[in-house]
Amino acid sequence: MAFQLQQFFHFVSKITFRRAINAFLVFMSYHVSKLIRKPIHWGMPIALSIEPTTSCNLRCPECPSGLRSFTRSTGMLDEKLFTKIINELHHTLSYLTFYFQGEPYLHKKIINMIEYAHQKKIYTATSTNGHYLTSEMARKTVESGLDRLIISIDGTTQEVYESYRVGGSLEKVIEGTKEVVSWKKKLNARTPYIILQFLVVAPNEHQIEDLYALAKKLEVDDVLLKTAQIYNYEKGSDLIPHSEKYSRYKKNKDGSYTIKNKLINHCWKMWHSCVVTWDGKVVPCCFDKDASHVLGHAQQQHFQTIWKNTSYKNFRKTILRSRSEIDICKNCSEGTKVWT
């Protein structure tokens, strides 16, 4: 709890007057839109996810990067495109995530981009499978000013870990985590806030207690349990946890599965955040993994033009009318997160 409060105040310390006003405008326009059932937007994004790359070294079974199954083009984010986006948004942007699909540390300029956002006093985060956190990279990560580092560790033994993280090495993840913790101490740094993220699936749910013990041993700041998205969940899957507490889905009397949360006709994400793919496509959220709902192109357009355009307005309008009409909403986890 002490670490969480410390991180909260650290985040708040980056909120300028302009960012605070923007957040207030976004919050108010969202609630007015819900009330009148019409899309109104008075601000700019509070949060943004940018995809450094679609490439990944692992072959996780429910991930487009791991399956090599993208229907969109794949590649690496151009640093000039990244700089353009940040220059357009930094006055109002509060939170930046360097992740969508792929492994961010495969991008050779990932540290440079984190440093640039840090210079703009934006709160920065990334999520990694931990295989590239060598001593040198761990040092650079701490020195970059990265605020939050999520390290995926979906098992506490190699056999269980690799049942989902196919091709991965638990030993490498643990050693990488140790390196980041060690460099934080050596540099007397407050950041990054280190989180071990555990994607709960049937093969590893019995190791949750072991995970907390490992996290304590490694001296990380927090543990996050995450529910797994299963593409074809209706008929069940060997990955769906036995405990419904850790699942996005519930089992029906006929043996079929349905998603637990109710599909309500509004979505905070459509007002406060969005995702930019490696090649500059602006998509609604992280559930649009194949970029099937492109709302603008950051390479050719100013971000404010995209955020206020007709395509975005119509998408928000559909959200308010009937989210069931939108394919990416049907497997949404909002409302089914596991809080620990």
Side-chain angles (χ1 to χ4, degrees):
M1 182 62 72
F3 285 120
Q4 292 174 344
L5 282 173
Q6 184 185 65
Q7 191 64 189
F8 171 76
F9 287 119
H10 175 66
F11 171 73
V12 170
S13 71
K14 292 176 179 270
I15 304 298
T16 62
F17 178 75
R18 191 166 173 180
R19 288 172 185 168
I21 292 297
N22 178 69
F24 175 77
L25 290 172
V26 173
F27 180 81
M28 291 303 297
S29 61
Y30 169 63
H31 285 283
V32 170
S33 297
K34 284 201 302 178
L35 183 66
I36 67 175
R37 312 308 299 171
K38 290 182 180 180
I40 293 172
H41 208 296
W42 294 324
M44 292 296 290
I46 298 171
L48 185 73
S49 292
I50 293 184
E51 180 178 62
T53 180
T54 50
S55 301
C56 189
N57 53 308
L58 303 185
R59 302 297 295 263
C60 305
E62 292 290 330
C63 173
S65 293
L67 294 170
R68 291 12 177 206
S69 64
F70 285 113
T71 59
R72 60 183 171 100
S73 58
T74 58
M76 296 275 179
L77 174 66
D78 183 82
E79 194 174 3
K80 290 181 180 179
L81 172 59
F82 169 77
T83 302
K84 172 185 179 293
I85 294 168
I86 298 305
N87 287 346
E88 291 173 357
L89 290 176
H90 74 91
H91 290 299
T92 51
L93 188 68
S94 299
Y95 197 112
L96 176 63
T97 302
F98 289 89
Y99 178 73
F100 178 28
Q101 302 299 305
E103 168 51 47
Y105 279 87
L106 284 172
H107 197 297
K108 293 181 180 179
K109 298 290 185 178
I110 185 65
I111 297 297
N112 301 62
M113 292 189 289
I114 293 170
E115 288 175 338
Y116 190 78
H118 176 68
Q119 289 167 10
K120 300 292 185 181
K121 301 188 186 305
I122 301 169
Y123 187 95
T124 54
T126 193
S127 179
T128 176
N129 62 42
H131 284 69
Y132 298 94
L133 295 174
T134 61
S135 180
E136 181 184 7
M137 187 55 74
R139 174 181 59 79
K140 289 180 177 180
T141 297
V142 175
E143 291 176 337
S144 72
L146 180 72
D147 296 294
R148 175 175 293 234
L149 178 65
I150 298 172
I151 302 172
S152 295
I153 183 167
D154 306 330
T156 59
T157 60
Q158 177 62 27
E159 181 182 7
V160 170
Y161 173 80
E162 67 182 352
S163 67
Y164 187 81
R165 296 282 168 179
V166 179
S169 166
L170 178 61
E171 183 180 359
K172 277 190 176 181
V173 180
I174 290 174
E175 287 305 311
T177 304
K178 287 179 178 178
E179 289 290 355
V180 181
V181 171
S182 175
W183 276 110
K184 273 185 70 176
K185 291 179 179 178
K186 289 176 184 176
L187 298 172
N188 195 28
R190 291 191 303 162
T191 59
Y193 185 73
I194 306 169
I195 301 172
L196 285 189
Q197 180 173 276
F198 195 80
L199 186 70
V200 185
V201 287
N204 71 12
E205 63 181 314
H206 66 286
Q207 292 189 335
I208 290 174
E209 288 188 14
D210 296 335
L211 169 70
Y212 282 97
L214 177 61
K216 185 176 181 179
K217 181 179 178 181
L218 293 176
E219 299 180 83
V220 299
D221 300 310
D222 210 346
V223 170
L224 176 65
L225 303 183
K226 183 180 179 181
T227 60
Q229 178 185 357
I230 309 297
Y231 284 110
N232 300 307
Y233 62 83
E234 292 89 350
K235 294 182 180 179
S237 166
D238 291 339
L239 293 174
I240 296 177
H242 301 292
S243 172
E244 196 172 298
K245 175 183 177 182
Y246 302 116
S247 176
R248 296 185 186 185
Y249 315 98
K250 61 181 179 181
K251 191 173 184 179
N252 302 313
K253 291 181 179 179
D254 63 0
S256 65
Y257 285 80
T258 52
I259 197 161
K260 287 195 303 188
N261 63 308
K262 185 180 180 182
L263 201 63
I264 51 179
N265 292 327
H266 55 83
C267 180
W268 169 234
K269 280 190 174 184
M270 294 307 102
W271 269 255
H272 92 280
S273 66
C274 64
V275 174
V276 182
T277 63
W278 70 273
D279 54 350
K281 294 184 179 71
V282 178
V283 298
C285 75
C286 59
F287 279 84
D288 194 4
K289 293 179 173 61
D290 278 311
S292 56
H293 299 274
V294 179
L295 302 172
H297 297 269
Q299 282 184 322
Q300 291 87 29
Q301 302 166 285
H302 192 283
F303 216 94
Q304 185 172 15
T305 302
I306 298 168
W307 195 242
K308 305 288 185 178
N309 69 19
T310 302
S311 296
Y312 235 124
K313 184 176 181 179
N314 288 338
F315 194 88
R316 294 186 182 112
K317 186 176 181 179
T318 304
I319 288 284
L320 292 169
R321 183 180 69 245
S322 176
R323 278 180 72 199
S324 61
E325 295 179 25
I326 303 173
D327 56 336
I328 60 172
C329 294
K330 293 177 182 178
N331 203 357
C332 180
S333 62
E334 291 303 299
T336 61
K337 289 182 174 64
V338 179
W339 299 100
T340 58

